[in-house]
Amino acid sequence: MKAEPTWTVNDAEEYYGLKRWGGGHFQVDAEGYMCVRPLRNERTIRIHDIIKEAKSKGLSLPLTIRIQDMLRTRVTELNEHFRNAIQDEGYAGKYRGVFPIKVNQLREVIEEIQDAGKTYNYGLECGSKPELMIALAMHKDPKALVICNGYKDDDFIRLALYGRKLGKEIFLVVEQLSEVPRIIAISKKLDVRPLIGLRIKLSTAGEGKWASSSGEGAKFGLTSPEIVDAARRLKRAGMSDCLQLIHFHIGSQVPNIQTIKKATVEATRFYCELTRMGFPMRLIDVGGGLGVDYDGSRSNYESSMNYTMREYARDVVYNIKNVCTDEEIAVPDIVTESGRAIVAPHSILVTEVCDRISKNSVDFKPGKKKKRNVILRDLEAILENAHNSTPLERYHDALQKKEEVNNLFSLGYLNLSERAEADALYWQICQQLAEIGKAANYTPEELENLPKMMAEQYVCNFSVFQSLIDHWACDQLFPVAPLHRMNERPDVDATLVDITCDSEGKIDEFTDVEDVRSSIRLHGLKDKQPYYLGVFLVGAYQDIMGDLHNLFGRVNEVHVFLEDDEEDDFYIEDSIQGFTVNQVLGFTQYDGHLLTRQMKKQVDRATKADRIKPREGTRMLDDYAKLLTGGTYLST
Ligand SMILES: *Cc1c(COP(=O)(O)O)cnc(C)c1O
């Protein structure tokens, strides 16, 4: 066999696709540690150092790391791309972006975004009463917009109009026709002129996983007859001057730029028509949808996008200008509600591999008995390829023998050690065939699944349902990579499973440039040495949509900033404790004190019956009480 060429950190960067999905924010240093570059310059932070620092503060894994400076980078980039596009096109309007709170509501995230967006008058978008309450209080820049989307009751409308009274440029975007008469009535009662937008149900359908946000079957927005009706109602109420904005949102993670162009053109036509009908239109809000290239393939595959942020900005500006110029209508200011593209990159989920599940976990020594069952000899012959068969023939033979083994065992003709030996031989055959398959150019269809079947399962201390809900719910792919040992060649094909008691709690699809990988190459586990994995680009939607399956709950979290004066250094400004056992029990109507009391009763009874010593009983209760205040994940 040829000696394998040496493995370098460049190979690691290549294999894990850092250059493709990392947007210049991730690299591996010479010692094989994964580093983050918040500003894409020479300043780097080893993620391993952040873990160490977090642990020294008592925050164990799993851990969410937020790189706050990366939020700043993304906000700046989006605004600069639009500014440049506007300048290059000689566009007469302005760019007035807003951040949709639902994509990441965390106060520290919103604060950082607002701070970064100050010079751009970057605003906020909300879609529910609680989000509106955040927006109203957090919004301070009078030149920044607040956009209210979503279904609205009277309280929502009234609250938004309070914002209007406070002098905010706050738009009520009509989602449903029934909101129009209520907005009219409530604003009359409060004696305030509302700013009104209409959400259009475009005929341009979205594309990708969230395509059903738009198109004629969508649950959002007004059809063209409803737009005309809403406009007329406003006119009749003497509120023509209030209608100034149109809005659309074609769904999140739009993979194809053509969809965005088409939707922009269609919406601009609505804009021009409403202008002609005499409404003082001045804003087009193109919603969200700006993608994140999770697999780095730059394709219109659903986990990717075939355009850049720069191209997006240019196409939106260009298409609006084009339609307006043709129709001789003054161009509007442009609003976007990009959420995913702003926040996805800043957050990394760190988990530790705590165990492995392997088909060949036991080094099985065959029994020395003289009279071995003939089926064991048959399996051995297949393993040694005594009959010179093709891989496919051997696989078929092994499958047949395996079935016979199962039957013989069930009928009592094989004992447990014989069954164990047979199974071990069978898995060895499969392992061998999987290796042959991987090395070959062509693999028969039946053998294609073998590598996946034989891949080890690395058990990771986290919950897919809490931390990567979209992976489970909509097969969304997130890049995964080790955080250290990248200067060592990875030689274990693995899939990941979480610690929930749920077979769906797993990751067995991984990003790749072409296609999707069914396993990922990782490093062998070493005794007493932790092995850390990072899941990347998880800053959008995952935190808040995660759930309490198995009562694991929120993970620990640290917020990392680059140190201002020192090079290559960082500090953790905030840390947030994940849920304690007591907290998650509270969500399901238990009370820690009551549970402790119920335990005490049982301990007392056992002590009285002399089944345990009093001291033992006290220790049990102390432990119980202590674990109530502890974390829910495995302590490693
Ligand atoms: C969810 C949502 C957004 C954010 O979409 P992204 O794809 O994350 O940018 C923007 N606008 C509306 C109306 C939304 O519902």
Side-chain angles (χ1 to χ4, degrees):
M1 245 172 84
K2 275 197 316 248
E4 287 192 277
T6 42
W7 175 269
T8 65
V9 293
N10 289 340
D11 295 323
E13 286 189 340
E14 177 60 31
Y15 177 76
Y16 296 107
L18 269 54
K19 294 265 158 63
R20 293 191 299 270
W21 54 257
H25 285 295
F26 298 96
Q27 69 179 44
V28 181
D29 68 15
E31 278 95 65
Y33 288 94
M34 173 76 89
C35 296
V36 55
R37 301 165 72 212
L39 310 175
R40 289 206 190 91
N41 58 13
E42 67 293 343
R43 300 196 60 184
T44 61
I45 307 172
R46 266 190 192 175
I47 297 174
H48 200 266
D49 290 345
I50 302 174
I51 300 172
K52 264 201 303 202
E53 174 87 7
K55 283 196 162 176
S56 76
K57 289 172 176 281
L59 295 163
S60 52
L61 303 187
L63 182 69
T64 294
I65 297 178
R66 294 190 193 284
I67 309 291
Q68 296 289 102
D69 298 275
M70 250 157 96
L71 287 173
R72 186 166 289 275
T73 308
R74 298 296 282 187
V75 170
T76 308
E77 273 169 4
L78 181 67
N79 280 284
E80 288 293 330
H81 281 311
F82 267 97
R83 281 197 171 179
N84 292 339
I86 280 171
Q87 200 171 21
D88 294 352
E89 283 295 333
Y91 189 85
K94 284 207 287 279
Y95 172 65
R96 309 186 62 196
V98 292
F99 176 75
I101 296 178
K102 79 156 190 257
V103 188
N104 197 316
Q105 295 96 336
L106 194 74
R107 178 172 51 82
E108 289 89 337
V109 170
I110 299 291
E111 280 172 351
E112 192 69 26
I113 288 173
Q114 282 199 296
D115 198 52
K118 232 187 234 160
T119 47
Y120 304 104
N121 307 121
Y122 195 55
L124 291 169
E125 184 266 3
C126 53
S128 67
K129 261 186 290 191
E131 287 181 1
L132 172 57
M133 295 177 87
I134 295 174
L136 278 178
M138 301 284 285
H139 171 268
K140 296 193 184 81
D141 174 4
K143 290 212 185 101
L145 289 168
V146 179
I147 304 277
C148 302
N149 292 316
Y151 294 101
K152 299 166 198 73
D153 62 7
D154 290 356
D155 293 334
F156 187 128
I157 293 169
R158 190 158 19 89
L159 203 57
L161 293 176
Y162 290 164
R164 195 69 200 108
K165 286 213 166 204
L166 293 173
K168 294 180 193 293
E169 197 173 340
I170 182 167
F171 272 88
L172 279 162
V173 177
V174 175
E175 189 90 58
Q176 296 240 285
L177 204 50
S178 65
E179 289 166 12
V180 176
R182 287 187 289 121
I183 294 174
I184 294 172
I186 297 169
S187 49
K188 290 215 159 129
K189 200 158 135 208
L190 290 180
D191 190 24
V192 61
R193 299 306 281 178
L195 292 170
I196 297 175
L198 300 178
R199 177 164 180 172
I200 312 166
K201 194 176 275 188
L202 293 180
S203 69
T204 308
E207 226 186 291
K209 289 186 193 298
W210 288 272
S212 57
S213 305
S214 61
E216 274 149 16
K219 70 173 188 179
F220 308 107
L222 306 180
T223 60
S224 56
E226 287 173 331
I227 294 274
V228 174
D229 188 55
R232 285 191 183 138
R233 286 200 210 194
L234 289 172
K235 198 170 213 165
R236 276 204 303 272
M239 288 170 65
S240 294
D241 58 308
C242 299
L243 176 55
Q244 304 179 6
L245 174 150
I246 55 145
H247 165 83
F248 71 88
H249 171 68
I250 44 178
S252 203
Q253 184 64 20
V254 176
N256 193 344
I257 189 71
Q258 299 306 341
T259 316
I260 289 164
K261 292 191 205 182
K262 264 196 344 218
T264 306
V265 169
E266 190 184 346
T268 311
R269 284 284 301 123
F270 274 91
Y271 178 87
C272 294
E273 290 295 328
L274 285 166
T275 307
R276 268 200 207 97
M277 284 165 70
F279 295 95
M281 305 302 289
R282 59 183 179 95
L283 289 153
I284 288 187
D285 177 351
V286 301
L290 175 56
V292 165
D293 196 358
Y294 291 96
D295 67 10
S297 66
R298 273 277 167 273
S299 66
N300 60 5
Y301 175 65
E302 57 188 15
S303 288
S304 186
M305 57 198 272
N306 65 359
Y307 54 95
T308 58
M309 196 187 260
R310 176 169 176 267
E311 186 178 350
Y312 173 83
R314 288 176 169 265
D315 282 345
V316 168
V317 172
Y318 172 82
N319 283 292
I320 294 177
K321 181 184 162 201
N322 221 15
V323 175
C324 288
T325 311
D326 278 356
E327 310 219 4
E328 296 177 341
I329 298 246
V331 295
D333 285 346
I334 298 172
V335 183
T336 71
E337 304 171 345
S338 307
R340 182 186 296 276
I342 296 289
V343 292
H346 89 285
S347 157
I348 305 159
L349 174 72
V350 179
T351 175
E352 181 174 349
V353 180
C354 49
D355 208 342
R356 54 184 269 252
I357 302 167
S358 161
K359 302 263 166 32
N360 289 318
S361 57
V362 178
D363 214 1
F364 200 84
K365 299 271 182 311
K368 289 219 177 70
K369 263 197 347 199
K370 283 219 183 79
K371 254 189 75 202
R372 294 180 80 203
N373 192 300
V374 62
I375 200 157
L376 294 174
R377 268 184 274 142
D378 290 347
L379 279 163
E380 250 164 14
I382 302 173
L383 179 64
E384 284 152 16
N385 198 10
H387 307 296
N388 241 331
S389 317
T390 66
L392 191 58
E393 287 164 349
R394 291 169 69 198
Y395 182 57
H396 289 156
D397 292 345
L399 274 181
Q400 188 203 348
K401 292 297 160 196
K402 172 74 175 119
E403 201 178 311
E404 282 177 36
V405 165
N406 293 349
N407 289 336
L408 290 173
F409 180 73
S410 294
L411 294 170
Y413 296 114
L414 279 184
N415 64 27
L416 177 56
S417 30
E418 287 167 323
R419 162 80 191 261
E421 191 177 338
D423 281 353
L425 283 166
Y426 173 74
W427 293 123
Q428 281 173 36
I429 295 165
C430 291
Q431 181 69 40
Q432 209 186 68
L433 295 175
E435 299 297 336
I436 292 171
K438 269 186 273 179
N441 295 329
Y442 165 76
T443 322
E445 202 179 316
E446 281 173 274
L447 299 183
E448 266 173 13
N449 269 331
L450 275 179
K452 179 166 186 168
M453 186 171 93
M454 294 311 295
E456 300 220 347
Q457 287 169 306
Y458 272 21
V459 183
C460 300
N461 192 11
F462 82 113
S463 157
V464 164
F465 306 93
Q466 173 62 47
S467 299
L468 298 176
I469 191 75
D470 279 346
H471 183 74
W472 170 63
C474 25
D475 290 329
Q476 153 103 54
L477 299 183
F478 296 97
V480 174
L483 301 180
H484 53 155
R485 294 176 62 189
M486 300 270 251
N487 49 355
E488 294 171 38
R489 179 188 295 278
D491 53 6
V492 179
D493 282 312
T495 63
L496 308 183
V497 294
D498 73 4
I499 56 167
T500 62
C501 306
D502 192 314
S503 56
E504 294 285 305
K506 62 176 181 190
I507 305 180
D508 58 5
E509 289 194 324
F510 300 89
T511 60
D512 195 6
V513 216
E514 296 162 39
D515 219 341
V516 174
R517 287 177 185 150
S518 59
S519 64
I520 186 171
R521 276 264 152 121
L522 297 173
H523 301 90
L525 302 181
K526 291 185 185 165
D527 220 19
K528 300 220 167 65
Q529 272 189 40
Y531 187 56
Y532 299 131
L533 293 177
V535 187
F536 295 84
L537 312 181
V538 296
Y541 299 104
Q542 304 312 294
D543 300 307
I544 219 66
M545 287 172 62
D547 63 42
L548 284 170
H549 195 11
N550 262 142
L551 297 185
F552 282 114
R554 286 198 61 136
V555 306
N556 289 328
E557 182 171 323
V558 290
H559 301 165
V560 174
F561 286 82
L562 279 168
E563 190 77 71
D564 272 343
D565 29 21
E566 254 172 284
E567 279 224 1
D568 283 6
D569 222 348
F570 69 92
Y571 64 98
I572 291 179
E573 180 168 284
D574 290 298
S575 54
I576 305 176
Q577 291 278 352
F579 286 154
T580 62
V581 172
N582 225 342
Q583 277 174 306
V584 294
L585 291 179
F587 293 130
T588 40
Q589 297 282 67
Y590 296 97
D591 174 325
H593 295 294
L594 287 180
L595 292 180
T596 312
R597 215 178 299 157
Q598 278 161 251
M599 281 299 289
K600 185 168 180 328
K601 268 192 204 148
Q602 299 181 49
V603 167
D604 288 347
R605 235 178 277 139
T607 317
K608 228 176 247 159
D610 231 5
R611 250 176 296 136
I612 54 172
K613 303 211 173 65
R615 196 154 3 109
E616 260 181 312
T618 316
R619 191 171 342 117
M620 281 163 68
L621 287 175
D622 283 354
D623 240 9
Y624 191 87
K626 199 176 89 205
L627 290 176
L628 275 176
T629 61
T632 56
Y633 290 88
L634 304 185
S635 36
T636 50

